[in-house]
């Protein structure tokens, strides 16, 4: 870890990176933290084995050719629904806190603090830095939900509230906009941007900023437990810290598994759409195995040669697809819609952020609470990855880049792809909205020129986003489970990359999308408490930096 450059508040500690590690050479080189690695790896392997066994034990044969839901799938979906419906208020309040904290740091003098010390310089160019943080942060989700979410919210809002036995059963955000196409479109886009705008990036920014501050300015290991030194003191190197790091590993791994499973679903659907092969469970297994192998090769190459190059490739392809849709789609509506959608988002962000006194339960639980838990479960992975590539930036520069710029790109993406799908639907094309979520992107591209080429680009994007997420996540999990060592032996990264693929397979086959979502929200719930504590510790750390500079 580079030493701070210039006057910073170095935290004096007796802890040495790797002091609790177990090292060896057989059967391959390893350098693992005891007990974080052992507990994390053991829990994941045990969970995977139990899931596979229960899937076989509770599976139900098809009836009249129709697939039946297994008992383990019912259990997973029950867990997901219970967590999102019981703790929706908690997720929403926490998300609001993270946004307010980030905006406050941008405008206060604390924003002048430079990560790495007053004399530190950035390790990467702005373009390379932004490509890595954006590709790692939201790639697969933007591909999967770029068409389906704006269109789904528009259709639900246009239909309006549906009440059965005194309870709303519709999925419309807030009060909907029954029968009003313009209002439904505005509300649908506002709801979409709400899920992909300030709140998720604020979650990532809080984790990334806290990790970078305590590693680059305070001289502590690049691991989540270090952030809690102002609150826990030297006990952070004992069991309190072990628990924090284990929670970070599990949250990261299951959050990644959700995204990898979604990516496999969409890639398989894309290949089926092009007539290459059927989107069966076997195809999804082959895809996950093959892409995990590619991700493993990228992990071996490291950040500079592997992750960075793939991230830049994906950004280039994403920009090409985005501008193609803008140019050949309803260009005027997309450009105008970008600004009107931002206006709608500004208008609706407060009511959408409100956790109390609402009756849009399906939207609040099934969309917002799940998203917030998913982002939180991803935050150790994305946050640590962003921290590793963000040395040399000021806090203000860092937060503007991580918070504002990706949000605007997300808005443009959703407006272009989702807005085009809404326009086609209003024009009378119903096949996009009628298609399964994973196929709606390709159905939308079917109604634009060069369908085969753009669909192929879409599949490549899903796959490369899949790879960048997997290899970035492996690097991060390995750092945590190696006690903060950023250059642990390569076989450990291969182990974690393989485990991510195996967990995604187990969850996908053992319960589908519901199982993937269940584990994301289950690990996201307790980790929200960790992020709230990290927020307070970060403010204390930044205040100490300002005093040091003064």
């Amino acid at each position: 870890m580079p030493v701070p450059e210039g006057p910073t508040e170095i935290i004096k500690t007796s802890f040495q990176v790797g002091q609790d590690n177990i090292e060896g050479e057989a059967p391959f080189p390893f350098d693992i933290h005891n007990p974080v690695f052992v507990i994390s790896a053991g829990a994941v392997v045990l969970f995977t084995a139990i899931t596979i066994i229960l899937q076989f034990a509770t599976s139900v044969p098809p009836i009249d050719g129709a697939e039946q839901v297994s008992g383990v799938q019912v259990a997973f979906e029950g867990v997901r629904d219970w967590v999102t419906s019981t703790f929706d208020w908690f997720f929403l309040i926490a998300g609001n806190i993270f946004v307010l904290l980030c905006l406050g740091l941008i405008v206060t003098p604390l924003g002048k603090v430079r990560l790495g010390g007053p004399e530190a310089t950035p390790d990467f160019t702005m373009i390379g830095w932004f490509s890595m943080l954006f590709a790692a942060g939201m790639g697969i989700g933007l591909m999967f939900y770029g068409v389906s979410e704006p269109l789904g919210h528009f259709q639900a809002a246009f239909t309006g509230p549906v009440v059965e036995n005194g309870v709303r059963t519709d999925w419309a955000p807030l009060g909907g906009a029954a029968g009003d196409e313009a209002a439904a479109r505005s509300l649908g886009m506002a709801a979409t941007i709400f899920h992909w705008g300030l709140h998720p990036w604020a979650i990532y920014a809080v984790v990334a900023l806290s990790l970078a501050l305590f590693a680059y300015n305070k001289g502590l290991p690049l691991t989540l437990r270090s952030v809690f030194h102002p609150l826990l003191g030297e006990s952070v190197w004992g069991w309190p810290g072990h628990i924090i790091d284990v929670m970070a590993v599990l949250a990261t791994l299951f959050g990644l598994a959700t995204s990898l499973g979604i990516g496999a679903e969409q890639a398989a659907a894309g290949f089926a759409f092009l007539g290459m092969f059927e989107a069966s469970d076997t195809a999804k297994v082959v895809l996950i195995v093959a892409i995990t192998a590619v991700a493993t090769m990228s992990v071996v190459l490291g950040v500079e040669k592997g992750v960075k190059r793939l991230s830049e490739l994906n950004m280039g392809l994403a920009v090409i697809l985005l501008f193609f849709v803008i140019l050949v789609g309803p260009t005027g509506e997309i450009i105008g819609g970008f600004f009107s959608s931002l206006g709608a988002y500004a208008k609706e962000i407060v009511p959408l952020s409100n956790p109390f006194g609402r009756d849009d339960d399906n939207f609040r639980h099934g969309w917002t609470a799940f998203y917030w838990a998913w982002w939180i479960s991803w935050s150790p992975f994305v946050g640590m990855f962003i921290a590793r590539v963000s040395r040399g930036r000021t806090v203000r520069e860092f937060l503007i880049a991580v918070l504002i710029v990706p949000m605007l790109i997300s808005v443009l993406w959703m407006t272009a792809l989702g807005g085009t799908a809404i326009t086609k639907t209003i024009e009378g094309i119903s096949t996009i909205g009628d298609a399964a979520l994973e196929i709606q992107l390709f159905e939308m591209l079917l109604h634009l020129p060069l369908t085969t080429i753009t669909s192929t680009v879409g599949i490549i994007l899903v796959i490369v986003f899949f790879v960048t997420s997997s290899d970035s996540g492996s690097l991060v999990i390995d750092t945590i489970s190696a006690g903060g060592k950023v250059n642990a032996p390569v076989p450990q990264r291969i182990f974690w990359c393989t485990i991510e693929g195996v967990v995604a397979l187990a969850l996908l086959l053992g319960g589908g999308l519901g199982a993937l979502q269940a584990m994301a929200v289950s690990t996201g719930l307790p980790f929200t408490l960790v992020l709230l504590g990290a927020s307070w510790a970060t403010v204390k750390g930044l205040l100490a930096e300002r005093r040091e500079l003064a």
Side-chain angles (χ1 to χ4, degrees), residues 246-298:
V246 168
M247 289 172 65
V249 169
L250 296 180
T252 301
L253 198 138
F254 286 115
L256 276 169
T258 301
S259 298
L260 301 187
I262 286 175
E265 291 263 14
Q266 190 170 32
F271 282 119
F273 182 81
L274 294 176
M276 299 180 68
F277 53 76
E278 183 181 353
S280 62
D281 284 344
T282 301
K284 295 169 189 174
V285 169
V286 171
L287 276 172
I288 290 178
V289 171
I291 297 173
T292 299
V294 175
T296 302
M297 289 188 287
S298 178

Side-chain angles (χ1 to χ4, degrees), residues 294-502:
V294 175
T296 302
M297 289 188 287
S298 178
V299 162
V300 172
L301 291 173
V303 174
E304 186 66 38
K305 294 181 179 179
V307 180
K308 181 174 180 287
R309 291 177 181 176
L310 282 173
S311 298
E312 291 176 344
L313 167 65
N314 235 24
M315 282 298 295
L317 288 176
V319 168
I320 291 172
L321 180 61
L322 174 63
F323 280 98
F324 173 81
V325 173
I326 292 174
L327 291 174
V328 305
T331 306
E333 289 187 12
I334 292 173
I335 295 174
F338 173 79
F339 296 101
S340 62
S341 295
L342 281 174
Y345 172 53
K347 175 185 174 183
E348 302 292 352
I349 186 172
V350 172
L352 287 169
S353 303
N354 175 31
F356 305 113
R358 295 167 57 177
D359 61 356
D360 55 343
D361 289 350
N362 282 340
F363 172 81
R364 198 169 70 260
H365 300 160
W367 282 103
T368 304
F370 161 68
Y371 264 135
W372 275 208
W374 189 17
W375 302 149
I376 289 168
S377 69
W378 258 57
S379 64
F381 146 53
V382 181
M384 185 171 290
F385 183 73
I386 293 174
R388 287 189 63 174
V389 298
S390 297
R391 185 177 177 275
R393 309 288 175 180
T394 66
V395 169
R396 182 172 294 119
E397 178 186 15
F398 172 89
L399 289 174
I400 290 174
V402 175
L403 194 67
I404 305 299
V405 178
M407 184 197 77
L408 295 178
I409 299 296
S410 298
V411 173
L412 182 59
W413 182 274
M414 292 294 186
T415 303
L417 276 68
T420 299
I422 291 173
T423 297
K424 296 295 182 183
T425 300
I426 292 174
E427 291 173 352
I429 298 173
S430 61
T431 53
I432 304 174
D434 293 340
L437 292 182
E438 62 269 17
I439 209 72
Q440 287 185 358
L441 168 65
F442 305 106
E443 280 289 342
M444 185 275 290
L445 294 174
L446 181 63
H447 299 284
L448 299 177
L450 305 177
T451 299
T452 301
I453 295 175
T454 55
S455 296
T456 302
V457 170
I459 295 172
I460 294 172
L461 277 169
V462 171
I463 291 174
V464 182
F465 273 133
F466 193 139
V467 172
T468 54
S469 296
S470 182
D471 59 14
S472 303
S474 300
L475 288 169
V476 167
I477 293 174
D478 187 40
T479 298
I480 299 172
S481 61
K485 288 191 174 182
V486 295
N487 292 309
V490 170
Q492 291 175 208
R493 304 182 206 168
I494 296 174
F495 168 80
W496 286 115
C497 195
T498 304
I499 284 292
E500 289 164 21
V502 171

